[in-house]
Amino acid sequence: MRYSDFGPLEITSYDSFLNLGKTRFNAKLNEKMEWKEKLDDFEHIEILGRGTFGKVVLVKNKRSQKHKFQAMKIIEKKILVDKKQVQNTLTEKTILQCACHPFMTTLDFAFQDNSYIYFIMPHIPGGDLYTHMRKFGKFDEAQAQFYAAQVILAVEFLHYLNFIYRDIKLENILIDHTGYLKLTDFGFCKKLEKGRTYTLCGTPEYIAPEVLLHKGYGLSADWWSVGILIFEMNAGFTPFYSRNVVKLYNKILGCRFKIPFFFSSDLKDLVTQFLKGDITQRLGNMKGGVDSIKRHKWFNTMNWLSLLSRKLVSPYKPKFVMSTSVSAADIKDILELSVSGQNEYKDIFDGFA
């Protein structure tokens, strides 16, 4: 069972929601995915986006009316092996398949052939939040609060499962036709078995200072990134920026940033508390944990349970046009996939799908 992609939902107890979510996650860990669909049952419609390791394609499911249009993430095995990203991709599949949250994308199907792996997920038609913010220039505080609260609930759930996200940014947040959000792209997620990790990863403008120090970091790094996200949504730009990466990292380490004059006093206080170099003083990482974020004055008007149940009215619903036919350019692009006659990575991806 998973929550409806678009709600509204009936969630009456937040603690019960978290506990049930963890129980379902653990139960699904060893559950084999089975379905009637095959890779050939999906017709390519258009390219939705491209990333470091592959592309995302809008596909039409020829066997299902319920899941008529879906998003197919295509990742080349060779690149994953060469870039040492196999474990990250397996972790992403685990989260997509096992986690169940109203503000996180989920996995419908997974396939592999000799050269590629394929994640098939619900199509979220509104695109990413970065594109919409650029259209507006910035969001007003009420709209930014609505979005920030959803991200906070999704990150809290991942933390409850003991996963750190490590790549919070506007581009990894999708907006659906109802105006609600879906956190996506869990490729940098990691289960914190020992409470901390050491890998330098993420988007430079969002990286927390403790990540740059190479002394190990934990869940607090995500709350720093949430602070950056909230700042950017309200300002239209990130608090730390330089074309020179060394200068950028020095600014982050020194926590040197200017708050725009048009921020409300509550918003100024919120971002200041998030962007603390000392993790013992950072909002979300102190006594009270994420509840201290929810109780902050900037969120005074937020009904968190109603938001989780998708019962609040969204301040903005994106307009979009669904493509229904394949263009010649997209056909050429999609057909550039070259599937090898031999499975050179059989042992590495054994049991993936």
Side-chain angles (χ1 to χ4, degrees), residues 254-323:
C255 292
R256 299 190 299 271
F257 63 96
K258 293 182 179 179
I259 297 177
F261 70 91
F262 51 81
F263 277 22
S264 68
S265 59
D266 289 340
L267 178 57
K268 290 177 182 178
D269 183 71
L270 180 74
V271 296
T272 300
Q273 289 196 49
F274 270 127
L275 302 182
K276 296 280 190 182
D278 182 352
I279 64 171
T280 66
Q281 299 298 314
R282 186 176 302 160
L283 192 64
N285 197 53
M286 298 182 292
K287 185 178 180 181
V290 70
D291 285 339
S292 62
I293 301 173
K294 296 175 183 177
R295 290 194 299 265
H296 191 277
K297 287 184 179 180
W298 196 62
F299 289 111
N300 261 354
T301 59
M302 178 56 61
N303 185 321
W304 292 89
L305 196 59
S306 292
L307 178 72
L308 184 67
S309 300
R310 300 174 60 99
K311 292 181 178 179
L312 300 183
V313 177
S314 170
Y316 167 69
K317 294 181 181 180
K319 295 179 181 179
F320 68 95
V321 177
M322 175 76 79
S323 296

Side-chain angles (χ1 to χ4, degrees), residues 5 18 26 81 132 180 208 250 252 291-292:
D5 288 329
L18 288 177
N26 292 331
V81 173
H132 290 279
Y180 274 81
N250 283 334
I252 292 172
D291 285 339
S292 62

Side-chain angles (χ1 to χ4, degrees), residues 10-51:
E10 293 301 327
I11 301 172
T12 56
S13 167
Y14 192 65
D15 288 341
S16 296
F17 165 81
L18 288 177
N19 292 331
L20 183 59
K22 178 178 281 189
T23 300
R24 286 174 176 163
F25 182 90
N26 292 331
K28 279 181 161 287
L29 279 175
N30 299 313
E31 183 180 301
K32 184 174 177 59
M33 297 181 72
E34 296 182 356
W35 45 79
K36 296 178 181 179
E37 280 86 343
K38 298 178 181 179
L39 191 56
D40 292 340
D41 291 325
F42 297 89
E43 176 188 356
H44 297 116
I45 302 297
E46 68 174 335
I47 303 294
L48 295 174
R50 295 175 177 84

